[in-house]
Amino acid sequence: MKLGILSLLVLAQALQSSAYPWMAGPGAERAYDEMLHRRAEKLEERALLGGVLGGLVTGVGSTAGGVISGVTGALGNLVNGLATGGASNVDASNRFPDVNHPFQAPGPTDQRGVCPGLNALANHGYLPRNGIVTAQQVISATKQVFNMGEDLSGLLCFIAVTYGGNLQTQTFSIGGEDDRTYSGSGIGSKSVSRQFGLDAHSRCEGDSSPTRNDFYLDNGDNHSQQPDRFRRLLALAKQNGGNFDTPTLNALFGQNSQLSIQNNPKYYANGPTLVVILAAYPIIPEFFSNGTYGAGGKATLQNIAPLMGFKINDDGTICAVPEQIPDNWYRRATPYGIANVVANAPGTLAAGNTLPSPLSSIIASGNTNEIGCQLYQLLSSQSPATLGVPLVDGVSTLLTGLQNQLLGGLPTIFGCSGAGNSTVTQPAFDDSLQAKGPGGDQSLTCA
């Protein structure tokens, strides 16, 4: 690397020692030097010093920041002009990962799929490392590490369980279909209905993803990170002052949605998948930034790349890698819930193109109460019968219980009159080419 990693680490030391007074005291300077050396060795081990992620952090806890400059060659073409900087108001208790949750790359039978955040949580053991999870495990882990509101995680888990998982046990795969989610008998068994996991196209996952290709444009691979999409994000961030903030991510949605409309003849976003996709863009800076986004914390390259699952090499190639929480990273200080998603959705949609979806015009209206109520009524009026599950009393009881447990707060938030009154309709689900088998068939490539 051509930036002089040692000098940048010295700069980081000076900034951090003033920002963290609790690190001062006799022997602190020597201890901190040793800590920096260990960190540099750790980063080298993880092959991050070969790119831009190792020595360019200017000091988490400081308000100092700037842009990357002076990098030569293909690497410089990608990173020069991208912002650096740390969080200004961090609480030591919000630092992750802790020593009990080290990064570990997934094994051949561990499920990983379309959601970088859940992949990272599983890679650190905040979720089961095999990628077979329950709704309550996801709600707990996303609250603990990302400070996601329980109403938002509850809504996302409702979609995951109802459309891709086991209604009986509230279990689902964060990747593709997996025998470990099925019950031996009864409503949750394979003989009653298939459970395709989060990779289930048009059920849990939709096209125009920030990081994945459209289902029908890559032979059904909607679950592997795409370096070209991350390269597109780098270019947009450079055009926006070097920041990976909400306007930058909205601009990325604009490009990705245009590509889908132009090239994907089967492009369609039903209600739940449209909301999930629109939420996915602002969620990246809201959850992946270091510290409190909007109050000093920045969504910079050093934080975004590892959590999104990308590594930049000296020769300018970008490689997909298992997602992980970067060193010295702090979660956001305030919860981010479904009301935030609904409030951000019109801005994201406006940055793109008119999507073929029954919810498009409702979201475009900008009326957050109407958006929230239509989403709630749409979800609560859908029955597993649309998924090929017989609508027997047991299923109805389980679904009603799941709605009350995971969606119960939405009517209060948005002033809804009740469930089952949605004015939008949805097409049949398409189960062709679904990812199957342990591991979800993810492919880590470079480009």
Side-chain angles (χ1 to χ4, degrees):
M1 179 120 184
K2 309 190 172 54
L3 274 182
I5 297 300
L6 181 58
S7 63
L8 286 165
L9 288 174
V10 171
L11 173 61
Q13 174 187 353
L15 291 167
Q16 282 191 266
S17 61
S18 62
Y20 291 99
W22 42 265
M23 294 177 66
E29 183 176 354
R30 179 178 178 183
Y32 192 65
D33 284 340
E34 292 174 352
M35 182 273 288
L36 283 175
H37 181 68
R38 289 194 303 272
R39 181 175 296 167
E41 287 182 333
K42 185 178 180 183
L43 288 168
E44 189 102 45
E45 245 176 43
R46 288 158 60 179
L48 296 179
L49 286 180
V52 298
L53 304 180
L56 292 176
V57 179
T58 59
V60 173
S62 76
T63 56
V67 296
I68 301 170
S69 62
V71 184
T72 60
L75 178 61
N77 293 336
L78 286 177
V79 304
N80 283 332
L82 295 177
T84 64
S88 59
N89 296 312
V90 291
D91 182 334
S93 66
N94 285 335
R95 181 171 176 171
F96 292 91
D98 58 46
V99 295
N100 296 319
H101 294 87
F103 169 78
Q104 179 179 310
T109 63
D110 294 333
Q111 288 284 355
R112 300 295 184 267
V114 295
C115 179
L118 294 185
N119 291 345
L121 291 175
N123 289 339
H124 283 274
Y126 289 101
L127 287 174
R129 292 186 184 271
N130 63 9
I132 307 303
V133 302
T134 67
Q136 287 305 314
Q137 287 172 334
V138 170
I139 291 170
S140 176
T142 53
K143 179 180 180 179
Q144 178 186 6
V145 179
F146 293 124
N147 212 347
M148 179 181 285
E150 292 185 22
D151 57 342
L152 175 56
S153 57
L155 182 146
L156 297 175
C157 284
F158 179 86
I159 294 172
V161 170
T162 304
Y163 303 120
N166 186 327
L167 274 173
Q168 188 173 17
T169 62
Q170 297 187 16
T171 301
F172 60 93
S173 163
I174 67 172
E177 184 181 18
D178 194 298
D179 286 343
R180 291 171 289 187
T181 70
Y182 289 101
S183 302
S185 60
I187 294 169
S189 66
K190 188 179 289 188
S191 62
V192 174
S193 177
R194 299 289 288 277
Q195 300 164 18
F196 290 114
L198 289 190
D199 291 351
H201 179 61
S202 80
R203 295 188 180 198
C204 301
E205 175 275 342
D207 293 325
S208 293
S209 162
T211 55
R212 271 69 174 168
N213 281 342
D214 285 8
F215 183 81
Y216 281 104
L217 296 183
D218 201 4
N219 194 34
D221 186 355
N222 59 353
H223 44 272
S224 299
Q225 304 104 295
Q226 298 300 322
D228 286 345
R229 295 208 167 207
F230 190 68
R231 189 182 301 273
R232 192 177 305 146
L233 175 58
L234 297 180
L236 289 169
K238 291 172 73 172
Q239 295 172 22
N240 191 37
N243 296 308
F244 295 83
D245 55 12
T246 298
T248 296
L249 270 297
N250 284 350
L252 180 65
F253 171 73
Q255 291 193 4
N256 289 344
S257 63
Q258 183 62 42
L259 288 171
S260 294
I261 290 171
Q262 290 176 345
N263 300 298
N264 186 352
K266 297 192 176 184
Y267 185 42
Y268 183 88
N270 64 30
T273 58
L274 176 62
V275 172
V276 169
I277 287 298
L278 291 179
Y281 284 83
I283 271 179
I284 289 171
E286 294 287 358
F287 288 128
F288 291 178
S289 61
N290 204 329
T292 306
Y293 182 59
K298 286 189 176 181
T300 58
L301 179 62
Q302 294 81 10
N303 311 311
I304 292 290
L307 279 162
M308 291 181 71
F310 295 100
K311 168 183 165 301
I312 306 175
N313 300 312
D314 279 339
D315 61 2
T317 57
I318 299 175
C319 292
V321 294
E323 297 91 338
Q324 63 181 293
I325 302 171
D327 285 340
N328 213 21
W329 182 85
Y330 294 75
R331 73 173 189 179
R332 59 178 294 122
T334 56
Y336 182 92
I338 184 61
N340 303 96
V341 168
V342 169
N344 279 333
T348 305
L349 181 64
N353 297 274
T354 303
L355 303 183
S357 170
L359 274 183
S360 291
S361 60
I362 295 170
I363 292 176
S365 74
N367 186 322
T368 55
N369 281 350
E370 184 179 5
I371 297 168
C373 288
Q374 284 289 351
L375 176 62
Y376 171 69
Q377 292 169 356
L378 183 150
L379 289 173
S380 59
S381 65
Q382 292 292 299
S383 76
T386 62
L387 311 178
V389 180
L391 191 58
V392 298
D393 288 343
V395 171
S396 298
T397 300
L398 287 173
L399 184 61
T400 300
L402 195 66
Q403 288 172 194
N404 293 336
Q405 179 184 349
L406 300 181
L407 302 180
L410 266 66
T412 301
I413 294 173
F414 298 109
C416 306
S417 59
N421 300 314
S422 176
T423 60
V424 301
T425 58
Q426 299 194 77
F429 294 93
D430 183 355
D431 293 334
S432 62
L433 297 176
Q434 295 291 1
K436 299 175 178 65
D441 301 324
Q442 271 196 306
S443 176
L444 300 177
T445 60
C446 299

